[in-house]
Amino acid sequence: MRYDVLIIGGGPAGNYLAQLLGRKLDVAVVEKKRSFGGKACTGIIGAESFEKLDFPGEAVLNELRGAVFYSKIQSFQIERETPQAYVVDRKVFEAGLAKRAVKRGVDYFMGTSFLGFKNGRAKLQHLNETFEIEADFYVGADGVASTVAKGIGAKSEAEFLKGYEAEIVGEFNKDFTEVWINKEVNPEFFFWVTPVSGDVARVGTFGSLESFRRFLTDRGLKPTSIIEFKAGSVGLGWRQPWVRENVALLGDAALQVKPTTAGGIVFGALCAHHLARAILSGDLSEYERACAGIKKQIAFGLKVRRIFKGMSQEGIERVFEVLGSEEAREVIENHADFDDHLRTFKALAKKPRLLASLLRISPSLIRALV
Ligand SMILES: Cc1cc2nc3c(=O)[nH]c(=O)nc-3n(C[C@H](O)[C@H](O)[C@H](O)COP(=O)(O)OP(=O)(O)OC[C@H]3O[C@@H](n4cnc5c(N)ncnc54)[C@H](O)[C@@H]3O)c2cc1C
């Protein structure tokens, strides 16, 4: 079998690229699972990006107007009139993109694993049968533990974290996600409580299972009210190169993930646009250059992450004092972009009083901005 493009991995990134390239080229997707979904993922996507990227609306389960941030001893709320983010059903999201791709002529091979490259062809396995597909371009959209990345000898300089997420029954304010930062409970990451409805939320964190369990108790949620539990992992940092000869990496396979929140769906889709253009031009070397904006966001996120990791809970409390002030909340409410944290920080730094306060807490944060 022969195609113009073979995409390995039918997750959000692979399926998004497939529907961009359908109708223009002969494209196939191989996905090792027999159906879509199932991955640990809260499914939060910034509303602005969701519309801009034309993500499948049928996947939206809930609309969020804001967030409530909690430290050990303080809290503040950021809210807007209109939805700021959507919570999606990952299975419906992935299937929606795949349906579009199929309608545009893309072939799907479900339940089919990529095993490696052999003489320039992809070696694949479906049940007990192995077969090969040859393509002009191969795309590794096969997630954080990418076999394609290994196949092209890509190297990672990244922090790999284990994530835990549960769907839990309780009482929640359906309009707001909760973000809890208590380094004494979890020094690695924040906790989130993201409502899917008024009585079900997705609760999660990255780090240890023990801190996840402790948070549930502290937040007054019963472990026995969990109706679904998932674990997954994320890579925060760099895996390079993204391109070797006629093979490109996309999405989590290339670690195109926000180091501040571990969200990867939007970055993967943004990079898919650049990759689609590079493939259509026949020159993959354009791809990495075109992703410079995303690389800048990742580099900024990594600096913020380093600062977060080096901060004590006392430092976090001081940041809360600044960000919870009326002036800061106003800036965040007017300028915050769910997927462009650099823009949000720059808007805060334009206010002299806020800049001076942040500078007192963390000179390195300001250096990262400048
Ligand atoms: C706990 C947790 C919560 C998260 N919450 C969010 C969130 O709220 N918002 C957000 O934007 N991001 C979130 N993320 C990150 C998000 O899940 C990823 O960034 C996103 O799934 C990346 O999409 P992808 O298509 O690149 O990779 P994946 O979703 O991992 O898809 C890769 C696909 O490739 C397939 N595959 C793997 N190996 C092979 C092979 N050898 N052959 C064939 N197929 C293969 C897999 O089965 C899979 O379907 C979260 C992650 C975790 C762990």
Side-chain angles (χ1 to χ4, degrees):
M1 261 180 284
R2 199 190 152 79
Y3 287 90
D4 296 327
V5 183
L6 177 67
I7 300 170
I8 295 141
N15 290 346
Y16 191 80
L17 178 69
Q19 50 101 53
L20 288 181
L21 292 174
R23 281 204 198 109
K24 297 175 184 122
L25 295 171
D26 272 343
V27 180
V29 176
V30 291
E31 167 52 53
K32 77 173 173 192
K33 287 184 290 159
R34 292 174 196 185
S35 61
F36 294 113
K39 195 185 143 92
C41 176
T42 306
I44 296 198
I45 300 174
E48 208 179 310
S49 303
F50 195 97
E51 316 296 351
K52 232 190 293 181
L53 292 163
D54 190 26
F55 282 156
E58 68 267 25
V60 174
L61 296 170
N62 191 21
E63 297 180 348
L64 300 168
R65 281 197 305 111
V68 190
F69 293 85
Y70 298 89
S71 68
K72 195 178 164 192
I73 54 171
Q74 309 168 68
S75 70
F76 66 91
Q77 183 168 312
I78 302 293
E79 84 175 283
R80 281 187 190 160
E81 292 293 313
T82 50
Q84 291 312 293
Y86 299 125
V87 186
V88 301
D89 179 316
R90 270 288 297 252
K91 188 180 172 79
V92 179
F93 185 82
E94 289 172 29
L97 290 171
K99 206 162 79 183
R100 262 192 225 163
V102 170
K103 284 185 180 167
R104 293 173 191 177
V106 174
D107 288 347
Y108 271 73
F109 294 82
M110 297 298 289
T112 302
S113 293
F114 166 81
L115 302 178
F117 291 111
K118 194 178 158 196
N119 303 327
R121 291 157 179 253
K123 205 170 156 205
L124 305 163
Q125 180 166 15
H126 176 67
L127 302 174
N128 290 330
E129 181 196 352
T130 55
F131 63 105
E132 289 176 5
I133 291 183
E134 190 174 8
D136 291 340
F137 296 106
Y138 298 94
V139 177
D142 51 342
V144 63
S146 173
T147 311
V148 179
K150 280 184 206 112
I152 64 165
K155 299 270 179 289
S156 299
E157 267 178 50
E159 180 187 12
F160 291 92
L161 291 171
K162 194 114 183 128
Y164 302 95
E165 187 186 67
E167 257 191 37
I168 194 160
V169 179
E171 269 184 46
F172 307 99
N173 182 342
K174 158 175 203 302
D175 293 340
F176 292 89
T177 189
E178 298 171 19
V179 176
W180 295 74
I181 308 180
N182 186 344
K183 297 202 73 175
E184 290 162 19
V185 181
N186 187 359
E188 301 294 335
F189 218 81
F190 59 85
F191 298 95
W192 62 88
V193 179
T194 300
V196 173
S197 61
D199 57 5
V200 174
R202 292 178 180 160
V203 183
T205 197
F206 289 92
S208 73
L209 186 57
E210 196 193 339
S211 58
F212 175 71
R213 287 193 181 124
R214 187 168 152 204
F215 172 71
L216 289 182
T217 315
D218 290 354
R219 170 63 181 72
L221 294 165
K222 278 166 60 183
T224 47
S225 300
I226 290 175
I227 51 170
E228 188 170 80
F229 180 79
K230 287 178 184 163
S233 45
V234 74
L236 309 177
W238 304 108
R239 176 177 279 155
Q240 275 172 324
W242 289 358
V243 171
R244 183 150 284 159
E245 293 168 12
N246 63 340
V247 185
L249 302 178
L250 179 70
D252 274 20
L255 307 187
Q256 291 159 352
V257 174
K258 273 183 274 179
T260 41
T261 64
I265 296 174
V266 167
F267 279 14
L270 288 170
C271 291
H273 277 276
H274 297 307
L275 181 53
R277 271 193 291 273
I279 289 173
L280 289 168
S281 78
D283 181 5
L284 285 189
S285 67
E286 279 307 305
Y287 168 48
E288 283 214 39
R289 246 196 309 276
C291 291
I294 297 292
K295 288 189 169 184
K296 205 168 152 190
Q297 290 281 350
I298 295 174
F300 173 70
L302 287 172
K303 283 180 188 163
V304 175
R305 171 128 188 96
R306 257 198 306 276
I307 291 160
F308 170 80
K309 285 188 78 178
M311 227 175 226
S312 62
Q313 185 59 27
E314 203 184 307
I316 298 286
E317 298 298 345
R318 285 165 61 207
V319 173
F320 262 67
E321 275 164 30
V322 179
L323 297 185
S325 69
E326 208 177 315
E327 189 181 13
R329 278 188 291 119
E330 206 180 296
V331 174
I332 298 171
E333 280 168 358
N334 289 325
H335 299 277
D337 184 316
F338 200 84
D339 296 301
D340 186 345
H341 297 163
L342 192 51
R343 193 164 96 189
T344 313
F345 275 92
K346 276 185 177 163
L348 285 168
K350 276 194 187 136
K351 299 281 175 186
R353 219 173 17 198
L354 296 177
L355 182 67
S357 310
L358 289 172
L359 192 59
R360 271 197 298 278
I361 301 167
S362 173
S364 43
L365 179 64
I366 305 303
R367 266 202 307 277
L369 281 170
V370 175

